[in-house]
Amino acid sequence: MKKIVLTISAISMFTMAIAQNVPSVESVTLPPTPATQGISLSPEVSAPAPISPTAKVQLGKLSPLDTARLAAVQRWDQTGVAEALVGASGAVEYPYGYSRPTVTCAPLHVCTIALQDGEAVTSISIGDTVRWLLQSASAANKPVLMIKPTQAGLSTNLVVTTDKGRVYYIHLVSSKIEYTPMVTWYDPAAMTRDLSAEAQASARQKAELEAAIAAAKLAAEQAKAQRVVADKSVGKLDPTTLDFAYSCIGDAAFRPARVFANDTHTFIQLPPGASTRDVPAVFNVTNNETELLNSRLVNGYYIIDGKPAKLSLVLGVGERAQTVKCEKTVQTSFFNWGAK
């Protein structure tokens, strides 16, 4: 029992000797930032005033935090200099990868370090494990570290790694008169990538919308042109005056389902299911001579100016050409569809 007591006493004396021989480190005093929470006074330790970070702090003229972050990222993209921001609840937000912050803590007060959303801590290393107390926790999907020094005038460092490949290096100092209540991070590079991806997606959607509008406009113009052709160029179609006295011979797939005419135009109705890509050319046949006719295809009908007596529909050339011949026979009316 005496040996155990002597050993504990020796360890205690050794620890006190180390504490007395460690030189005190004065933290850099910056203009104070108003505390976001009340601090109860203690007879032993006076309440320290929260301080601003050692990096440049952007107090932000724009009130929404996201707008301030966006502005900081844009400045970083233009100048390469990332700024610390005062975020929600007075937390100091450092730009990850572009700063090595110094966090000032105070005895009997907890400094909170919140990492970024969606990552998990893989390791924590603190230089002084004797005089600095550290506890890890989480808030939803955000890792949180609580740090408290046992005395003022201390200096050490903290390194935290996460499963997102991030390494946080933090310099810790302790003071009786000032401290930083909460520290967190934003990632300028990640925000820039997100903004770029969002801009590209927006541009792609805009291009698709413009293409759809252009296609719809073109389709509307084509439909309008077809209506104009059907309504104006051929005149008024009176079913009682149409001439259906045409017959066609030929075994081609495009053999007309019907041929008829009014006073000014001839109409050739293609069979149902006929491909609009493989349509024949229409010729006028006079005295065994052929002449290409002025025709247009509208909604499955060839519309031909005039009333030729003999027509020849030809698809292809040479020996592979397919031909259907149509010829006017006797006058008929709408009420007699006529023979083919």
Side-chain angles (χ1 to χ4, degrees):
M1 178 65 77
K2 291 183 178 181
K3 290 182 179 181
I4 296 175
V5 172
L6 290 176
T7 302
I8 295 175
S9 177
I11 292 174
S12 178
M13 293 177 64
F14 178 70
T15 304
M16 293 176 60
I18 291 177
Q20 292 175 356
N21 292 330
V22 173
S24 61
V25 178
E26 294 184 0
S27 60
V28 179
T29 303
L30 298 180
T33 301
T36 58
Q37 59 193 39
I39 301 175
S40 301
L41 296 179
S42 170
E44 295 82 6
V45 181
S46 59
I51 62 171
S52 302
T54 57
K56 179 182 177 182
V57 175
Q58 173 66 32
L59 295 179
K61 296 181 180 179
L62 301 175
S63 55
L65 182 56
D66 288 340
T67 305
R69 289 171 178 165
L70 177 60
V73 169
Q74 291 173 343
R75 288 191 294 272
W76 165 78
D77 189 43
Q78 296 171 358
T79 65
V81 177
E83 303 173 351
L85 305 173
V86 175
S89 302
V92 178
E93 293 192 355
Y94 285 97
Y96 173 78
Y98 298 90
S99 64
R100 190 173 67 182
T102 296
V103 179
T104 302
C105 301
L108 302 183
H109 294 82
V110 175
C111 288
T112 303
I113 298 177
L115 306 184
Q116 299 180 59
D117 290 335
E119 60 183 353
V121 173
T122 56
S123 69
I124 304 174
S125 298
I126 187 169
D128 187 346
T129 59
V130 176
R131 296 172 297 175
W132 289 82
L133 306 179
L134 188 149
Q135 181 180 356
S136 61
S138 62
N141 61 344
K142 175 182 292 187
V144 179
L145 304 177
M146 278 79 76
I147 302 173
K148 183 171 64 174
T150 58
Q151 65 185 72
L154 302 178
S155 175
T156 190
N157 68 325
L158 172 67
V159 179
V160 183
T161 62
T162 72
D163 60 350
K164 296 297 183 181
R166 297 190 180 106
V167 179
Y168 297 88
Y169 185 96
I170 307 163
H171 183 211
L172 299 174
V173 295
S174 63
S175 171
K176 288 184 178 181
I177 60 174
E178 54 192 15
Y179 87 118
T180 306
M182 181 177 293
V183 171
T184 187
W185 273 266
Y186 70 97
D187 194 334
M191 292 181 68
T192 300
R193 289 193 300 269
D194 293 343
L195 290 173
S196 177
E198 184 178 352
Q200 291 177 0
S202 177
R204 184 169 58 254
Q205 292 176 356
K206 181 179 179 182
E208 292 174 354
L209 178 61
E210 290 176 350
I213 293 175
K217 183 177 180 181
L218 178 60
E221 291 176 351
Q222 291 176 344
K224 181 179 179 181
Q226 291 179 353
R227 289 195 300 271
V228 170
V229 169
D231 293 344
K232 295 184 178 180
S233 66
V234 302
K236 183 177 180 180
L237 296 179
D238 184 356
T240 62
T241 62
L242 294 178
D243 182 5
F244 289 88
Y246 288 85
S247 62
C248 298
I249 58 174
D251 297 329
F254 54 83
R255 176 177 172 174
R258 186 172 293 107
V259 179
F260 57 94
N262 65 359
D263 293 337
T264 58
H265 294 81
T266 301
F267 304 87
I268 301 175
Q269 181 184 1
L270 295 178
S275 174
T276 57
R277 292 177 298 179
D278 299 328
V279 292
V282 183
F283 296 89
N284 179 24
V285 181
T286 306
N287 297 327
N288 294 325
E289 295 183 359
T290 58
E291 176 189 6
L292 183 64
L293 290 173
N294 181 20
S295 61
R296 51 198 175 274
L297 184 62
V298 180
N299 296 329
Y301 286 84
Y302 269 118
I303 302 177
I304 301 169
D305 298 332
K307 298 177 61 177
K310 293 183 179 181
L311 299 171
S312 180
L313 284 72
V314 181
L315 178 63
V317 294
E319 296 180 354
R320 296 184 177 181
Q322 303 178 61
T323 303
V324 173
K325 295 181 179 180
C326 299
E327 184 176 357
K328 188 177 182 308
T329 55
V330 295
Q331 177 73 27
T332 62
S333 69
F334 171 77
F335 302 100
N336 179 9
W337 290 95
K340 301 187 187 65

